[in-house]
Amino acid sequence: MLDPKDLRRAPRSLDRRRLLQGLGAAAIGGSLTGAARAETEHHSVADAPVANAASQLDHVPYVGVHQAGVVNPRPANGMVASFDVLARDVDELEALFRTLTARIAFLTTGGPVPMLDPKLPPPDSGLLGPVVHPDNLTVTVSLGASLFDDRPWLKALKPTHLQRMTRFPNDALDADICHGDLSLQICANTQDTTIHALRDIIKATSRQLILKWKQEGNVPVVLPGPDGRAESARNFLGFRDGSANPDSSDAAEMDRVVWVGPEDGEPAWATGGSYQAVRIIRNFVERWDRTPFGEQERIFGRAKMSGAPLDKPDGSEFDVPDYAADPEGRATPHDAHIRLANPRDAAASANTILRRPFNYSNGVTRSGQLDQGLLFICYQADLDRGFITVQRKLNGEPLEEYIKPVGGGYFFTLPGIRDAADLVGSSLIAAARGA
Amino acid sequence: MRISSFAGASALALVLSSGAFAQEASLDLVEPIAEYKIYVSENVAKLVEDTTAFVAAVKAGEVDKAKALFAPTRVSYEAIEPIAELFSDLDVAIDSRADDYEKAEADPEFPGFHRIEYGLWEKNSTEGLEPVADKLLADVKELESRIASLTFPPEKVVGGAAVLMEEVAATKISGEEDRYSHTDLWDFRGNFDGARKIVELVRPLIADKEADFLKTVDANFDTVDTTLLKYKDGDGYVTYDKLSEDDRKVLAAAVNTLAEDLSTLRGKLGLD
Ligand code: HEM
Ligand SMILES: [Cu+2]
């Protein structure tokens, strides 16, 4: 059986090596070296989960300078759940953070679930059986503007750019799936693990959190290519999504793009945190499937099958488009999604965001169409320069005919839980007490 | 599914790569597009005329009269929606729905026809609608003037037939569009007429090569016509709630098939 303490200490690659050994080369056949290499060489959010390589023992440490679940590669399943917070004073907020931290520590580390007298309800839902395995679980805690705005004792500590999400021209926001005081991004190899974590946390925080909305999604698993590198997974419009994401294994780049630093004009407690933008974006997939292939490619500015930029049609998704050589937009139209989102001029690098989306498939609309889309999540050190600026550039893009943002919100991802004695949000609590 | 649409696309690429065909097609389109522009201009003129009367009734507080004018006024807008939608700011101002706003009906930003529809049917009143009505008339007139100076892009005109069917398929077939007045069948009429007009205009260009295609399309339009005819009431239609479940399914299947078929019209005409 698995000793949680061992796991906590084991670096992730060790777990992985153990897994690969455990499965044996024969079980994975030719893809073993590919998978292993993909694992060691690339460790980026853009990388899709590799088929048949996930294990229940995969483990992401919940402690660190930053929270887990932001720069880690996406596992196959993810969700965002948003809550109202009751906390009326600092003590109650701290109590909430304490409970959350304890649950996160247990759930992401794993171990046997406690048993009680059978005359009582069981303390664990039992979804994962008698022993919880980490299964790559991350739980990322972020706070909405309303948490600060509605509390005089917290208001002065609100991160500079944190605000309530407002409507963009193509939005049709449904109040039932927007905003919230606190968001949890929960990601794991399997859906059962994300749901188990959510149910565990709901049960443990019933006095402090009220669930407002949630959206689940997944990233299709892919087989690594011949070079060992996993290609980006496809979204529900059939295009590779993630190709041009910044490299989240590059710590310096993440400090620039994602993490709030001491010089960012944010309250000191926020250093090491990030802004999380969540958008639930419906895709009109029937209509998309009836759109000419060439137009689909021009709408994104990429080749549908390979993901290559349109000015390098024989290249790969990792080739970089050269817009300077295409001033008239002959290869890549000026209103193509990728050209608007990132014109790749000197100014645009200030607007880089780290996208971490999941596809969702919910059910059927009243009109008998599929309710599918993208649970778009992105992280950035400055919400205005990041998501909001990029979305403004995208306003009016031809893709809008096929998508409808219907929900989501803006949140501030708390700095990391430094060690086993620390709490999520401890710097905020300390600041609130000091104030 | 993905594989078959890919195969379809490469077949299309083959067609498109015979440049002569595309060239010839776009020359041939000059006349249908000129004719379509006349059709759109007539409809938008009618829209301005009808909206003027509708708005006057709203401002005079004549609830019953305004209710009676609501559905017929919208028909000419619905018929030319693919062109109106080229001006997305105006389309939002004229025809957006409560769902487009976070506070739904209570949202102060909720404008246009459906804002007025909400007041007339849900509140049985024109109270507070005067500025909304004035703005609607101004927007409709602005639409007329923008259309007058618009060069109609051929792919938008030909693609418009499919766009109209997509609109019905995505959010109208369920009766969501006119949810307070339930006058949806009037809108359907406008949407189908607008789509069929486009097919009629390009018919001579593909009549020989695409006889089977046109036969299928005609048959589906006819299904729609006979189905809607059952619900005719005077110059218009009974309310959406009278539509039987069976007929709703018949309409839904016809709309989906028309959307599928008409989505190939651009390609068939060599338009990229
Ligand atoms: C349903 C909605 C969306 C879909 C289907 C979609 C899809 C795509 C695809 C296929 C790419 C090209 C591959 C890649 O680099 O990942 C891309 C790139 C990108 N998208 Fe989106 N996207 C959506 C929404 C958004 C939103 C809301 C934003 C931000 C406001 C955004 C920002 C970007 C950026 C920054 C890039 C990279 C551009 C570059 O650096 O070349 N996307 N998207
Ligand atoms: Cu409409």
Side-chain angles (χ1 to χ4, degrees):
Chain A
M1 194 185 290
L2 145 100
D3 179 355
K5 276 195 238 83
D6 271 2
L7 263 177
R8 198 173 320 144
R9 267 182 252 116
R12 187 165 183 277
S13 54
L14 247 184
D15 302 344
R16 176 74 59 165
R17 213 167 302 140
R18 201 154 76 197
L19 153 78
L20 291 173
Q21 281 158 4
L23 283 178
I28 318 187
S31 69
L32 171 64
T33 44
R37 213 170 347 128
E39 189 55 41
T40 49
E41 284 176 13
H42 297 278
H43 231 22
S44 194
V45 163
D47 297 347
V50 174
N52 301 324
S55 154
Q56 288 194 311
L57 303 185
D58 291 345
H59 170 240
V60 183
Y62 77 95
V63 291
V65 181
H66 309 295
Q67 281 196 75
V70 177
V71 299
N72 310 83
R74 292 163 303 168
N77 291 273
M79 76 158 82
V80 173
S82 168
F83 299 83
D84 289 324
V85 170
L86 266 78
R88 282 158 305 186
D89 54 33
V90 190
D91 289 344
E92 289 186 1
L93 190 61
E94 182 173 20
L96 168 62
F97 288 162
R98 189 173 302 282
T99 312
L100 279 174
T101 307
R103 296 327 298 158
I104 291 170
F106 171 73
L107 293 164
T108 60
T109 307
V113 303
M115 299 297 284
L116 292 182
D117 183 330
K119 290 194 274 308
L120 292 171
D124 186 274
S125 61
L127 295 192
L128 304 180
V131 180
V132 171
H133 297 283
D135 199 28
N136 230 345
L137 178 70
T138 58
V139 180
T140 311
V141 184
S142 312
L143 305 178
S146 53
L147 182 84
F148 295 88
D149 293 340
D150 299 347
R151 289 171 179 76
W153 46 276
L154 212 53
K155 204 168 177 160
L157 293 171
K158 184 163 89 166
T160 319
H161 302 284
L162 189 59
Q163 56 199 280
R164 188 184 162 89
M165 182 176 77
T166 51
R167 178 175 186 269
F168 293 92
N170 189 42
D171 290 6
L173 299 179
D174 174 350
D176 290 344
I177 47 173
C178 286
H179 320 301
D181 291 336
L182 182 146
S183 79
L184 296 180
Q185 180 201 257
I186 306 178
C187 307
N189 288 338
T190 60
Q191 189 190 33
D192 308 75
T193 298
T194 60
I195 290 176
H196 175 263
L198 178 67
R199 280 170 59 174
D200 180 287
I201 290 172
I202 288 173
K203 194 173 174 69
T205 58
S206 61
R207 275 177 41 230
Q208 295 145 313
L209 291 182
I210 295 170
L211 184 60
K212 211 171 140 66
W213 55 266
K214 81 150 166 55
Q215 179 61 58
E216 292 174 60
N218 61 70
V219 191
V221 295
V222 302
L223 287 167
D227 65 350
R229 179 155 195 190
E231 297 173 304
S232 302
R234 293 178 190 275
N235 57 34
F236 275 144
L237 300 184
F239 277 76
R240 295 189 189 285
D241 201 332
S243 317
N245 236 354
D247 180 358
S248 74
S249 65
D250 177 342
E253 178 73 344
M254 292 301 100
D255 280 342
R256 183 183 79 81
V257 170
V258 169
W259 305 119
V260 167
E263 265 109 62
D264 284 339
E266 295 287 351
W269 72 263
T271 299
S274 185
Y275 286 93
Q276 176 192 59
V278 179
R279 303 270 286 169
I280 302 173
I281 306 177
R282 211 190 130 199
N283 294 171
F284 300 121
V285 294
E286 287 89 349
R287 183 168 182 174
W288 182 253
D289 289 344
R290 293 189 278 249
T291 298
F293 190 81
E295 182 169 342
Q296 292 187 8
E297 294 191 327
R298 287 192 300 276
I299 284 175
F300 279 113
R302 286 186 177 268
K304 190 169 186 183
M305 290 306 142
S306 65
L310 289 183
D311 62 343
K312 304 190 172 56
D314 299 325
S316 93
E317 59 168 320
F318 303 112
D319 284 326
V320 175
D322 182 358
Y323 299 143
D326 180 24
E328 274 156 39
R330 282 181 206 279
T332 313
H334 287 288
D335 58 5
H337 183 71
I338 64 165
R339 193 160 183 170
L340 286 175
N342 179 7
R344 293 181 188 266
D345 51 23
S349 79
N351 311 116
T352 309
I353 57 180
L354 180 67
R355 290 170 290 136
R356 210 171 183 277
F358 296 86
N359 299 340
Y360 73 81
S361 183
N362 282 350
V364 178
T365 68
R366 281 160 64 195
S367 301
Q369 294 201 321
L370 293 168
D371 182 4
Q372 302 187 324
L374 195 68
L375 171 57
F376 177 93
I377 306 170
C378 73
Y379 292 92
Q380 52 264 295
D382 178 334
L383 182 64
D384 289 304
R385 261 191 324 172
F387 174 78
I388 293 176
T389 299
V390 177
Q391 181 55 60
R392 286 212 183 108
K393 292 183 189 181
L394 288 173
N395 285 347
E397 63 172 330
L399 180 62
E400 285 185 348
E401 225 174 291
Y402 304 91
I403 64 175
K404 204 48 131 172
V406 293
Y410 301 149
F411 301 91
F412 187 80
T413 301
L414 291 166
I417 307 171
R418 284 185 308 271
D419 52 44
D422 192 18
L423 296 185
V424 71
S426 58
S427 59
L428 173 61
I429 296 295
R433 290 201 193 287
Chain B
M1 183 72 166
R2 197 168 279 156
I3 291 180
S4 71
S5 71
F6 184 51
S10 30
L12 184 61
L14 282 179
V15 173
L16 288 176
S17 60
S18 59
F21 175 71
Q23 182 74 24
E24 184 190 313
S26 50
L27 275 180
D28 286 351
L29 275 168
V30 170
E31 201 188 311
I33 285 173
E35 257 185 76
Y36 186 65
K37 185 157 186 180
I38 294 170
Y39 173 79
V40 171
S41 307
E42 285 170 358
N43 270 279
V44 78
K46 176 99 171 63
L47 176 68
V48 170
E49 185 189 322
D50 291 349
T51 307
T52 306
F54 173 63
V55 160
V58 170
K59 292 179 69 177
E62 297 170 310
V63 173
D64 288 337
K65 186 173 178 197
K67 280 183 175 175
L69 293 177
F70 173 77
T73 300
R74 290 177 50 76
V75 173
S76 37
Y77 185 82
E78 293 295 320
I80 58 164
E81 228 171 355
I83 296 302
E85 281 174 358
L86 296 179
F87 309 106
S88 66
D89 57 330
L90 291 179
D91 187 41
V92 164
I94 294 169
D95 197 32
S96 63
R97 308 190 198 161
D99 319 291
D100 295 329
Y101 303 90
E102 206 180 325
K103 299 198 187 100
E105 284 86 357
D107 208 307
E109 281 187 59
F110 176 33
F113 272 118
H114 297 299
R115 172 74 187 84
I116 298 175
E117 179 197 7
Y118 171 69
L120 292 176
W121 270 271
E122 296 290 308
K123 303 249 173 88
N124 209 26
S125 154
T126 57
E127 206 191 312
L129 293 181
E130 217 170 291
V132 186
D134 283 336
K135 176 79 175 26
L136 175 64
L137 186 56
D139 288 333
V140 162
K141 286 182 173 162
E142 170 69 14
L143 178 65
E144 184 178 38
S145 83
R146 287 204 215 166
I147 285 176
S149 55
L150 175 73
T151 312
F152 280 36
E155 75 283 359
K156 293 288 177 194
V157 172
V158 176
V163 167
L164 281 160
M165 294 303 96
E166 296 291 357
E167 302 273 340
V168 180
T171 55
K172 291 184 176 164
I173 193 70
S174 57
E176 290 165 64
E177 172 94 353
D178 302 311
R179 68 187 62 167
Y180 320 109
S181 62
H182 307 293
T183 53
D184 303 87
L185 299 186
W186 294 72
D187 284 29
F188 286 13
R189 181 75 274 156
N191 293 148
F192 287 115
D193 287 350
R196 200 159 196 173
K197 178 73 188 180
I198 294 166
V199 174
E200 290 316 317
L201 289 176
V202 301
R203 181 184 297 274
L205 304 182
I206 52 172
D208 294 342
K209 276 188 190 159
E210 299 287 350
D212 287 348
F213 167 80
L214 286 169
K215 216 167 119 189
T216 316
V217 167
D218 288 341
N220 277 305
F221 274 127
D222 291 346
T223 302
V224 169
D225 285 346
T226 34
T227 311
L228 282 181
L229 198 60
K230 293 200 225 168
Y231 298 92
K232 192 110 181 101
D233 179 25
D235 288 340
Y237 292 91
V238 299
T239 50
Y240 178 85
D241 47 287
K242 311 252 169 31
L243 182 65
S244 77
E245 191 51 23
D246 280 350
D247 283 332
R248 195 189 61 82
K249 287 180 202 159
V250 168
L251 283 178
V255 168
N256 288 339
T257 314
L258 281 166
E260 289 289 344
D261 289 342
L262 294 178
S263 70
T264 65
L265 198 55
R266 272 167 60 181
K268 288 188 193 305
L269 284 159
L271 289 168
D272 196 5

